[in-house]
Amino acid sequence: MINSVTFVVQPIARLVSVAAVIVLGAAALYAPTAAQAQATTSATPKAGQASQATDAKVDPKADTKPDAKPDAKPDPKAKPKSDPKATAKPESKPAAPSAAAISATTPPSLSPIQVGELSSVPAPAIAAKAWITVDVTSGQVVSSSNADQKIEPASLTKIMTAYLAFTALKEKRLTLDQQANVSQAAWKTRGSRMFIEPRKPVTIDELIKGVIIQSGNDASVALAEAISGTEASFVTLMNEEAQRLGMTNTNFMNAGGLPDPQHVSTVRDLATLARRMINDHPEYFPYYSMREFTYNKIKQPNRNRLLWADPSVDGMKTGHTEGAGYCLVATAKRGDRRVITVLVGSDSMATRAEESLKLLNWTFQNFETIKIFDKAQAAVESRVWQGKTENTKLGVAEPLWITVPRGKAGDVKPVAKRPDPLFAPLVQGQKVGTLSLMLDDKLLRTEPLEVIDPVERAGVVGRWSDSIRLWFR
């Protein structure tokens, strides 16, 4: 009797041991490491709709096999395959992907296209060396020409000078009614002038008006000295701020924009600066819409002709040197939309105004800006493994706007790309993938996909349970 029981129990014990080995192997195989996380791409709903996207299925057995190396030498210790025709057999079909994975479209390029390329109305011909038009809300470049060509920025430089002055005011390092010293260096600065004089009272408010409205090089130097002590120290601050703002092709040599071989920028960088001016210092932006200013009994008009030509235009800055030609950063607000244009290298004051207005009109008339996702709105729900909860919401940190050709808002397709499997722990704000916005199978922009709802790591039992389920997934 005992022998017969032993005969039955021993095979069962062996079977249990084998099962335990498999379970432990699965737990080790699916430990939450970056190397095991496989990217999955899934389409999210159209603009403004939250979703619960199904994660694409993956074959865990295929994940563990390294890619074959065609040049690798055969292993002499390896056993030959029993079937010599095995290599000729086609590979087995992978598990059927989810509906979300089928409908997903992977971005065709690493960089987004300019939305103007998708418009049925092409950008107008512009008589300038370089130009760009940007939607302020979305930050998208609608269209451009020679956007990254280094150019002489001339007095467009003064946007940075004013930007740093407004920052100093906001940080209480300056006050508008504060008296500023006029040095000999500031007084003797060549070029366009405000006509400040040593020992003649001038306030920070007046210097700012002299920089913005009258485009005074003397005012720029005096304002720089009021902020940093010397113009040279101020130029260092200008370049540090330019790098912080992402103006990677810009280098300043002076505060006013006087010609210098190393004083360069691009229309893209200048558009970045203009947008940051509008967004970072809205309380001081009205300076740019002032049409004239009188100092030292000398009245000078703002050289931006568009302030008279179009009531929607409320800034920003003109520039001119012989080498730079006639330049203009212009901005207008129509309804809830604001657009910036930067144009350099035109042949006259009239041309720079006409061509800038042409760009503004084209951008407003043929494009619209829409909100795709609000702050902390879920773009996709994702399955989480080895966590205390099974799902989490993924989205964007700030409201996500996009500029599209008019009538195309409903055709925008958000595409989420994230690790699969996604393992806990996950903290709020953690970047776990990308969210790409597609239109007509073209990439418009890509933003980081962040965790909205944090997920703590599960206990030992929960992690083992998920490891087993992943093995049979």
Side-chain angles (χ1 to χ4, degrees), residues 336-385:
D336 294 331
R337 288 187 65 201
R338 179 178 285 280
V339 171
I340 292 169
T341 61
V342 181
L343 178 150
V344 300
S346 63
D347 59 9
S348 69
M349 293 177 65
T351 299
R352 73 183 176 190
E354 293 166 3
E355 300 300 275
S356 295
L357 187 57
K358 191 189 297 185
L359 275 176
L360 287 170
N361 288 336
W362 176 74
T363 307
F364 278 114
Q365 292 167 3
N366 296 288
F367 302 89
E368 59 184 327
T369 299
I370 57 172
K371 184 188 290 186
I372 299 294
F373 294 107
D374 213 337
K375 182 178 181 179
Q377 179 184 351
V380 64
E381 283 198 10
S382 179
R383 174 69 163 90
V384 180
W385 299 91

Side-chain angles (χ1 to χ4, degrees), residues 119-131:
S119 175
S120 59
V121 181
I126 301 297
K129 181 178 181 180
W131 56 266

Side-chain angles (χ1 to χ4, degrees), residues 196-218:
I196 55 178
E197 300 175 12
R199 297 179 298 278
K200 187 177 182 67
V202 62
T203 65
I204 296 298
D205 175 66
E206 290 172 325
L207 286 177
I208 291 173
K209 291 175 181 175
V211 169
I212 293 175
I213 302 168
Q214 299 178 336
S215 199
N217 293 333
D218 52 354

Side-chain angles (χ1 to χ4, degrees), residues 285-326:
F285 188 70
Y287 277 107
Y288 285 98
S289 62
M290 296 180 179
R291 295 185 179 184
E292 62 182 28
F293 175 57
T294 300
Y295 178 78
N296 204 7
K297 299 181 181 180
I298 301 171
K299 180 188 289 188
Q300 297 188 65
N302 194 317
R303 295 173 177 83
N304 183 0
R305 292 188 179 185
L306 292 184
L307 294 175
W308 287 266
D310 189 319
S312 69
V313 175
D314 54 2
M316 291 187 61
K317 189 71 191 73
T318 61
H320 172 258
T321 64
E322 183 177 349
Y326 290 87

Side-chain angles (χ1 to χ4, degrees), residues 52-55 380-394 418-426 451 453-459 461-470 473:
Q52 293 184 353
T54 304
D55 292 341
V380 64
E381 283 198 10
S382 179
R383 174 69 163 90
V384 180
W385 299 91
Q386 300 186 359
K388 289 186 177 181
T389 57
E390 290 192 350
N391 295 284
T392 188
K393 294 178 180 179
L394 307 178
R418 63 196 185 282
D420 185 22
L422 183 64
F423 289 100
L426 299 172
V451 175
D453 297 333
V455 179
E456 294 182 14
R457 196 179 186 192
V461 175
R463 297 200 303 272
W464 275 40
S465 174
D466 274 1
S467 295
I468 295 170
R469 279 189 283 180
L470 279 169
R473 188 182 177 205

Side-chain angles (χ1 to χ4, degrees), residues 402-453:
I402 191 167
T403 302
V404 296
R406 288 197 177 274
K408 289 280 192 177
D411 297 333
V412 177
K413 294 181 180 179
V415 178
K417 189 174 184 180
R418 63 196 185 282
D420 185 22
L422 183 64
F423 289 100
L426 299 172
V427 298
Q428 187 175 19
Q430 179 179 338
K431 294 176 175 60
V432 293
T434 57
L435 181 66
S436 299
L437 300 181
M438 312 291 296
L439 179 62
D440 297 340
D441 293 332
K442 303 293 184 182
L443 176 63
L444 293 182
R445 68 183 303 171
T446 300
E447 295 294 327
L449 192 62
E450 300 185 3
V451 175
I452 297 175
D453 297 333

